[in-house]
Amino acid sequence: MPKIILVLIVLSVFIPGCQKPQTPTANPSGEAAMLQPQSLSTTITKHIESSYLLYLPPDYEAFDTPWPLVLFLHGIGERGSDLNMVKAHGPAQLIEQGQNFPAVIVCPQCPDDEFWSPDVLNALLDSIIAKYNIDENRVYLTGLSMGGYGTWQLGGTYPERFAALAPICGGGMKILTRQMTDLPIWAFHGGADDVVLPEESKLMVDSINQRGGHAKLTIYPGVGHDSWTQTYQNPKFWEWLFQQKKP
């Protein structure tokens, strides 16, 4: 008998139609019910890990003045747990070949099966700036392919952190361009890129400029997905980048 009573109770609660809808009733005082505004204030702790390559200029220790910082985001082919893979392209490759830069350069590695996380990269920037003598008015962000997407996303999420962005063969969410109208941006793309279509870069640059920004886009005619090699090997690109400074 108790089991039968229990089953009947469960059915009456969970089977649709077993109960009649409840009609809202007025407060005993006769006043209408009111929605009360409330707020939540809490702290959430998040554990973050990131592996990266770090470059310090040869004369880093010789000067007390703060140094520019370049954050470089690699493409999808360099994801994993072997930092040597990050040396395949971009500034890390040039440094490996013996080129020196007048800046601190940080080249993180994105784990397998993940994409660039703005929160992780923002925490990485905090860590680097706390450890090294960095000019926070001259922090630059650049990346290629998946790193180009990461550049647009990170730059749009934390635009106040950067003096300039240089996304290469990437794209992003148009809504982020609302935050980037005051940022110096130079994007690059291969005109024959069939992996990430050049329209992806054009969409972002046009959106920024329509909002009053001054982003520029270089399209390499006939060039496929690898639009980063000639960009990073171009001295004029680095000259432009290091000239940028936050007001």
Side-chain angles (χ1 to χ4, degrees), residues 5-137:
I5 293 173
L6 178 61
V7 171
L8 290 175
I9 292 172
V10 172
L11 290 176
S12 69
V13 172
F14 290 102
I15 293 181
C18 288
Q19 285 186 314
K20 293 182 180 180
Q22 296 291 321
T23 302
T25 57
N27 292 339
S29 64
E31 297 178 358
M34 299 289 291
L35 294 174
Q36 300 296 326
Q38 303 291 332
S39 63
L40 169 69
S41 177
T42 187
T43 300
I44 298 176
T45 302
K46 183 177 182 180
H47 178 73
I48 289 177
E49 293 185 359
S50 180
S51 298
Y52 59 93
L53 296 173
L54 174 71
Y55 169 83
L56 298 177
D59 49 357
Y60 171 81
E61 298 287 353
F63 297 95
D64 291 331
T65 55
W67 289 85
L69 170 64
V70 178
L71 179 62
F72 165 69
L73 307 181
H74 63 70
I76 199 168
E78 291 74 61
R79 293 186 299 183
S81 56
D82 180 3
L83 279 170
N84 286 315
M85 297 171 65
V86 181
K87 302 174 184 177
H89 305 293
Q93 180 189 47
L94 297 175
I95 293 167
E96 189 73 359
Q97 293 171 351
Q99 183 168 330
N100 287 322
F101 288 91
V104 173
I105 298 182
V106 177
C107 308
Q109 185 173 36
C110 186
D112 279 325
D113 302 321
E114 294 185 18
F115 297 96
W116 291 114
S117 163
D119 289 340
V120 171
L121 294 171
N122 191 51
L124 175 59
L125 283 174
D126 285 340
S127 175
I128 296 298
I129 290 171
K131 289 180 181 178
Y132 299 97
N133 191 12
I134 302 299
D135 184 351
E136 294 189 58
N137 290 321

